[in-house]
Amino acid sequence: MMQQRIMRLRIINLIGCIIHVIYNTVIGAWPIVGLNVVLSLVQIVNLYKLLNTRHDDREYQVVDTRVDDPYLAHLMNQQRDDIAKFNPHFTGIESATHAFLIMKGAETVGYVLAHDGRDGRAHIDLDFVSEKYRDFTPGEFVFTNPAWFTDHGFHTVVAPASGPDYYPNVGFDKTDEGYVKALA
């Protein structure tokens, strides 16, 4: 019940349902077997939906916002411990010049902060996603549409080597500098 990551919760629940089906089949508790078969099917359907919409840009939207937006400050304040835990390189919002909110419907699931390297390169300061959505890598939607950066005059995005492991999947190359993506 303490599990916040929805994908992990569904998988754990599915495993529990399968164990209940096996155990209750052995002891002949047929109503419980039936209930857990139904619950297993519900978990399978939900996992299927989650996995099929994971990379769907109709599920997630990116909102270009100001770095000094009070809503962004509120989110970061609420999630400061999580930010420190998963982004130890992040020293603060002071150097950031660009901010992007990642939305799923009306819920803000993450945000990306970057600063202008003054050489046409956007340097990622923070790529954060709330715990519930970490399994879905919604931060990728900031990087799959180059316009989020090219509209600000950038031709390259540079992210820290300690960044999320989805960077190579969205066109970043691992270099000595970290992850680098040239924009078209």
Side-chain angles (χ1 to χ4, degrees):
M1 294 312 243
M2 299 296 291
Q3 183 55 248
Q4 297 297 311
R5 293 173 82 163
I6 196 149
M7 178 94 78
R8 193 176 291 167
L9 176 66
R10 296 263 183 221
I11 291 169
I12 291 169
N13 195 292
L14 176 61
I15 291 168
C17 288
I18 292 169
I19 290 169
H20 276 286
V21 167
I22 293 168
Y23 175 76
N24 288 295
T25 298
V26 170
I27 65 169
W30 302 114
I32 297 173
V33 170
L35 172 67
N36 280 283
V37 166
V38 170
L39 290 175
S40 295
L41 292 173
V42 167
Q43 296 307 325
I44 290 168
V45 168
N46 282 316
L47 280 167
Y48 178 79
K49 287 179 184 177
L50 289 172
L51 291 171
N52 278 339
T53 60
R54 176 182 193 162
H55 303 291
D56 188 346
D57 60 3
R58 294 171 295 188
E59 288 290 313
Y60 297 95
Q61 300 78 40
V62 176
V63 177
D64 193 346
T65 191
R66 297 181 337 267
V67 174
D68 63 351
D69 185 310
Y71 178 65
L72 176 61
H74 170 74
L75 289 172
M76 292 182 70
N77 185 48
Q78 293 294 312
Q79 298 162 327
R80 69 179 169 273
D81 293 340
D82 228 14
I83 291 171
K85 180 179 177 181
F86 291 100
N87 298 276
H89 68 278
F90 182 67
T91 57
I93 197 169
E94 296 78 25
S95 65
T97 55
H98 298 80
F100 306 95
L101 300 176
I102 305 153
M103 311 292 294
K104 181 173 175 59
E107 183 177 2
T108 304
V109 301
Y111 35 89
V112 172
L113 303 177
H115 71 270
D116 188 344
R118 303 282 182 224
D119 55 358
R121 296 159 61 99
H123 294 265
I124 302 303
D125 297 318
L126 178 64
D127 184 344
F128 179 80
V129 173
S130 62
E131 184 177 16
K132 182 178 175 182
Y133 290 94
R134 279 199 193 114
D135 294 327
F136 303 104
T137 63
E140 72 185 57
F141 295 102
V142 174
F143 304 109
T144 53
N145 182 354
W148 293 118
F149 293 96
T150 58
D151 287 354
H152 292 287
F154 297 114
H155 58 74
T156 305
V157 178
V158 180
S162 62
D165 56 3
Y166 72 82
Y167 283 154
N169 297 337
V170 293
F172 282 85
D173 295 314
K174 180 96 170 174
T175 69
D176 293 338
E177 191 177 10
Y179 289 104
V180 177
K181 179 177 182 170
L183 305 172

